[in-house]
């Protein structure tokens, strides 16, 4: 009887807490807390870009790590508080936005389930390489984040919104027609950085591709550079076998790395400029615009090449 009474008392306290609007971090309490010796270094940090729905919020209280600063190869423990009002439940997760697409390791300690109300969290992440750390809300059924807070130090901190404001407006407004929605999603054209390695300029790319063609023995009919916005595109008209030889020679230079391409039997369009050369606040829109720009240049070369 005493055991049943005690269980009922705890159930009553839980119901009272939920009725008062307090949320719970489910499973956070059942996991072993990381010891201070596992993450011995306190990491100074600043908060950057933040986007939340009304009533939602995330506050970071501490960041500790296996290394004394944010760096590739380190692991980090992040603690703080959250408030969730926009929906009944969500996943709260610690992720890193990387400047290039790689397969990231996932630790179950990066994510917990939270419910409507307020609570505390402790999340852990292993950082494979330089990027932008953020704690974010995600729908439990999967899908895009509906709230996030970036944090970090120095050039590890994303200060500007990762999703341009017009994009959010495009998804939220029913007044925009399909073309306006598409333009808002693509974002603004990329701007050339104030300081740019000459190798990524129009002349630098043309020289590098020309040299690669000569060194590889590729037979090339034409080389085009699209510098209408940054990053610049390269369009090459040549047989596929020759293009493969040219590309292999070009990418021997570590400064060049492809961010995608559109290619046929005789026409090949790509950008050898790493996306991280773009200003941080423009990288997402640059990636979106690249795929459209690749196809546009490919179609233009198709019309003029034959």
């Amino acid at each position: 009887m005493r055991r049943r009474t005690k269980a009922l008392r705890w159930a009553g306290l839980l119901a009272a807490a939920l009725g008062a609007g307090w949320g719970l971090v489910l499973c956070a309490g059942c996991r072993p807390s990381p010891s201070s010796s596992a993450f011995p270094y306190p990491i100074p940090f600043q908060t950057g870009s933040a986007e939340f729905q009304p009533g939602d919020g995330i506050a970071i209280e501490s960041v500790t790590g296996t290394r004394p600063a944010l760096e590739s190869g380190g692991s980090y423990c992040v603690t703080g508080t959250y408030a969730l009002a926009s929906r009944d439940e969500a996943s709260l997760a610690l992720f890193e936005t990387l400047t290039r697409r790689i397969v990231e390791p996932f630790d179950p300690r990066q994510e917990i389930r939270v419910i409507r109300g307020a609570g505390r969290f402790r999340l852990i992440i292993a950082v494979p390489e330089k990027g932008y750390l953020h704690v974010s809300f995600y729908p439990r059924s999967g899908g895009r984040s509906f709230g996030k807070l970036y944090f970090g130090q120095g050039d590890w901190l994303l200060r500007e919104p990762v999703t341009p404001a017009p994009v959010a407006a495009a998804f939220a407004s029913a007044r925009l027609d399909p073309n306006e929605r598409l333009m808002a999603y693509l974002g603004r054209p990329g701007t050339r950085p104030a300081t740019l390695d000459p190798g990524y300029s129009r002349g630098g790319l043309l020289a590098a591709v020309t040299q690669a063609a000569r060194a590889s023995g590729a037979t090339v009919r034409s080389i085009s550079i699209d510098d209408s916005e940054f990053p610049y595109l390269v369009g090459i008209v040549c047989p596929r076998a020759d293009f493969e030889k040219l590309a292999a020679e070009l990418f021997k230079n570590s400064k060049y790395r492809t961010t995608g391409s559109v290619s046929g039997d005789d026409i090949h369009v790509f950008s050898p400029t790493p996306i991280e050369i773009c200003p941080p606040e423009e990288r997402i829109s640059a990636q979106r615009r690249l795929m459209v720009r690749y196809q546009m240049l490919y179609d233009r070369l198709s019309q003029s090449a034959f």
Side-chain angles (χ1 to χ4, degrees), residues 192 196-210 223-234 256 273 300:
R192 173 176 168 146
L196 182 67
D197 185 315
Y200 302 123
S201 67
R202 177 187 177 87
L205 290 174
L206 182 59
V209 173
T210 301
I223 300 172
S224 302
I225 306 295
D226 176 4
D227 61 354
S228 58
E229 62 183 82
F230 195 82
Y232 304 149
L233 307 186
V234 177
Y256 298 119
T273 303
R300 179 162 63 83

Side-chain angles (χ1 to χ4, degrees), residues 35-294:
S35 65
S36 58
S37 61
F39 302 92
Y41 298 104
I43 309 296
F45 69 92
Q46 295 176 296
T47 56
S49 172
E51 300 175 357
F52 292 106
Q53 296 187 12
D56 295 348
I58 296 170
I60 296 172
E61 296 178 345
S62 70
V63 181
T64 54
T66 57
R67 301 186 182 184
L70 294 178
E71 58 185 63
S72 301
S75 294
Y76 301 92
C77 176
V78 179
T79 65
T81 60
Y82 74 89
L84 178 65
S86 63
R87 59 191 68 195
D88 291 332
E89 64 173 358
S91 291
L92 184 68
L94 170 59
F95 287 119
E96 182 184 23
T97 298
L98 298 176
T99 54
R100 66 189 183 102
R101 294 184 178 181
I102 66 170
V103 178
E104 299 177 65
F106 177 77
D107 186 326
R109 296 175 297 175
Q110 286 179 234
E111 182 179 10
I112 57 175
R113 176 179 174 248
V114 297
I115 62 175
R116 183 186 297 272
R120 303 185 61 80
F121 65 83
R122 177 186 283 110
L123 301 168
I124 295 172
I125 188 172
V127 173
E129 62 178 58
K130 182 178 176 181
Y132 305 113
L133 292 167
H134 56 95
V135 179
S136 304
F137 289 118
Y138 293 89
R140 288 290 296 170
S141 57
R144 297 171 59 89
S145 165
F146 63 89
K148 65 183 64 178
L149 172 65
Y150 280 83
F151 67 96
Q153 54 183 211
D155 56 1
W156 284 67
L157 176 63
L158 184 68
R159 300 178 184 276
E160 300 297 328
V162 69
T163 303
V167 175
F171 291 129
S173 175
R175 294 190 298 272
L176 297 179
D177 67 33
N179 284 332
E180 292 173 322
R181 285 176 180 265
L182 179 59
M183 293 305 296
Y185 177 78
L186 292 176
R188 295 186 297 272
T191 56
R192 173 176 168 146
T195 58
L196 182 67
D197 185 315
Y200 302 123
S201 67
R202 177 187 177 87
L205 290 174
L206 182 59
V209 173
T210 301
Q211 176 58 33
R214 290 173 180 167
S216 64
T219 301
V220 176
R221 293 178 55 183
S222 68
I223 300 172
S224 302
I225 306 295
D226 176 4
D227 61 354
S228 58
E229 62 183 82
F230 195 82
Y232 304 149
L233 307 186
V234 177
I236 298 174
V237 179
C238 71
R240 178 179 293 276
D242 286 296
F243 173 71
E244 291 175 352
K245 293 190 295 184
L246 185 157
E249 184 67 29
L250 177 66
F251 292 120
K252 287 181 181 178
N253 187 332
S254 60
K255 95 169 38 175
Y256 298 119
R257 186 170 68 246
T258 184
T259 53
S261 65
V262 172
S263 187
D265 290 337
D266 296 285
I267 299 176
H268 317 277
V269 176
F270 65 104
S271 173
T273 303
I275 202 67
E276 56 263 33
I277 301 300
C278 300
E281 64 275 13
E282 294 183 0
R283 290 171 189 168
I284 298 298
S285 58
Q287 288 178 317
R288 291 171 174 162
R289 297 178 68 89
L290 273 173
M291 298 311 298
V292 177
R293 294 176 60 213
Y294 289 151

